[in-house]
Amino acid sequence: MAAALENETDTKNSLPQELYQNFWIDPRFVPGVKALQEEFEPRPDDIFLASLTKTGTTWGKALLRTIVSLCHACPNPLPDDEKSPNASVPNLELELFNSIKQHDVSIFSELPSPRVLHTHLPFHGLPTLVRSCSSDCKIVYITRNPRDTFVSLCKFYDKLRQDGWPAPVETLLFDGFCSGSLIHCGPFAEHVLGYWRESKSNPNKVMFVTYEDLQADCVGWVKKLGIFMGCSPRLVEENAERVVQICSFDSLSNMEGNKSGIALENTLRMRNAHLFRKGKVGDWKKYFTPEMEERIYRDIEQKLNNEDIHLTY
Ligand code: PAP
């Protein structure tokens, strides 16, 4: 049963976040982040997916993993139906937190190459060797318009609340989303700008893609991603449509591992099914008031527009 939310103070305490290196994070994850920053060694063929929560992480994980399986010179087998993208593409900081060997970055050494790994960390918070241009690993960044991201986050917390999680009420969540304090690794605009700037100065290192881009032309983006990731152009061309089909909302949400699986079993225990809701662009129009539009524009969207990032709403 859902835990009763007594008042806003209790609710706020239910999402402990602290400002660490200029981004907001649950303090329980900080030791793992420090270990990553100091000890994690990337392999030249590693592919990192970076994103804020609810911006297309699950879809991005599935796409990159499937591109590697179907188009890479050293393919990993396709994950079976039991395995959610969450399991086949681990999140670095959450997996460390969940591991019995907490803070031991060697847990990632067992994964076969090429590894596809995910993180919510901002660009400046990545392990030094991952962001360095002297290492050959690649970074794909996915983002989404902040209005749909917020609605998705709100609806996700509604589901968690039904599972008994304490979760912030909508007004408090909106305030924390805009200021950045209630979004894992926020603020939103600064997170996006960090990867955007890097994708402009080092396009061979960082590729920037949006959820709305994928909705508009997924086959085209799969081809671009495959080439960026160093896959065979012939295999990318031959398999792009199959990749898109395997990773579609309907296919992914009907995978056994996504219907019944649990992520981060030792700690957070989150149902994979909660990662699938509507998968549409523009759902925010049903929920936003003019005041919300004004606030999100002022706190987030204006900062993106100022640097020529124009998202689809
Ligand atoms: P996470 O950061 O907690 O892993 P994330 O996967 O980024 O969440 O976001 C979930 C959103 O992606 C949901 O959006 P919605 O609430 O607006 O519906 C979910 O439905 C959507 N999503 C998941 N998989 C796909 C997919 N294959 N295609 C399109 N959208 C998807």
Side-chain angles (χ1 to χ4, degrees):
M1 273 303 292
L5 299 172
E6 304 282 29
N7 58 45
E8 290 204 344
T9 310
D10 286 351
T11 310
K12 194 164 196 167
N13 288 340
S14 70
L15 277 188
Q17 292 253 97
E18 70 175 36
L19 201 54
Y20 170 75
Q21 297 178 346
N22 280 334
F23 61 93
W24 289 95
I25 190 162
D26 182 328
R28 294 174 299 170
F29 303 151
V30 169
V33 171
K34 281 188 178 149
L36 282 170
Q37 290 175 334
E38 285 159 20
E39 294 160 36
F40 182 83
E41 286 185 26
R43 299 178 192 157
D45 56 2
D46 278 345
I47 296 146
F48 294 87
L49 174 70
S51 64
L52 280 167
T53 185
K54 305 301 160 211
T55 59
T57 311
T58 309
W59 196 8
K61 283 180 177 183
L63 287 170
L64 300 191
R65 184 66 178 71
T66 310
I67 292 171
V68 165
S69 297
L70 297 182
C71 314
H72 202 277
C74 309
N76 285 328
L78 271 179
D80 60 34
D81 195 46
E82 308 294 313
K83 233 175 171 190
S84 156
N86 265 333
S88 49
V89 181
N91 171 289
L92 293 170
E93 66 276 10
L94 297 182
E95 209 57 54
L96 271 182
F97 172 68
N98 188 57
S99 162
I100 42 165
K101 294 189 207 165
Q102 276 195 348
H103 326 141
D104 178 356
V105 298
S106 71
I107 60 169
F108 303 109
S109 316
E110 292 147 22
L111 297 170
S113 291
R115 297 182 294 189
V116 184
L117 300 160
H118 173 257
T119 183
H120 287 303
L121 293 173
F123 185 78
H124 73 269
L126 293 177
T128 317
L129 288 173
V130 172
R131 46 192 169 95
S132 161
C133 275
S134 61
S135 62
D136 288 334
C137 61
K138 304 274 186 185
I139 302 169
V140 174
Y141 184 68
I142 183 162
T143 191
R144 183 180 193 183
N145 84 56
R147 301 180 188 202
D148 281 330
T149 305
F150 173 71
V151 171
S152 183
L153 188 64
C154 240
K155 300 292 174 191
F156 177 69
Y157 279 136
D158 286 349
K159 290 181 191 157
L160 290 185
R161 206 177 286 118
Q162 285 162 17
D163 287 350
W165 281 53
V169 292
E170 190 180 316
T171 44
L172 189 71
L173 184 62
F174 186 66
D175 191 51
F177 182 85
C178 289
S179 69
S181 63
L182 286 187
I183 180 163
H184 176 58
C185 293
F188 192 102
E190 286 70 8
H191 200 278
V192 177
L193 289 172
Y195 284 97
W196 170 255
R197 289 173 188 147
E198 211 52 38
S199 75
K200 292 284 146 202
S201 45
N202 293 308
N204 293 328
K205 177 82 186 172
V206 180
M207 178 171 255
F208 187 96
V209 59
T210 71
Y211 183 91
E212 296 80 18
D213 289 336
L214 294 178
Q215 289 278 12
D217 178 17
C218 202
V219 172
W221 275 95
V222 162
K223 291 180 185 173
K224 287 185 210 171
L225 286 165
I227 301 300
F228 172 76
M229 288 156 64
C231 296
S232 139
R234 182 183 58 81
L235 289 178
V236 170
E237 195 59 39
E238 282 173 12
N239 289 297
E241 287 186 15
R242 189 165 164 226
V243 171
V244 172
Q245 194 278 322
I246 290 173
C247 302
S248 71
F249 183 91
D250 287 346
S251 309
L252 281 191
S253 56
N254 282 310
M255 278 173 71
E256 205 40 56
N258 285 328
K259 283 200 286 192
S260 57
I262 304 276
L264 305 165
E265 288 209 56
N266 303 328
T267 48
L268 301 179
R269 296 193 56 78
M270 227 175 261
R271 287 174 210 257
N272 290 326
H274 291 347
L275 298 170
F276 303 91
R277 192 180 62 95
K278 288 190 178 171
K280 301 269 181 250
V281 180
D283 198 35
W284 65 271
K285 292 175 189 157
K286 287 211 231 87
Y287 301 96
F288 266 60
T289 62
E291 292 74 30
M292 289 170 80
E293 288 186 41
E294 197 185 317
R295 169 85 193 270
I296 206 165
Y297 179 79
R298 195 181 64 230
D299 284 2
I300 300 177
E301 293 160 11
Q302 196 173 26
K303 293 180 188 163
L304 305 181
N305 292 349
N306 285 345
E307 293 213 23
D308 248 8
I309 305 177
H310 298 286
L311 302 171
T312 305
Y313 291 87

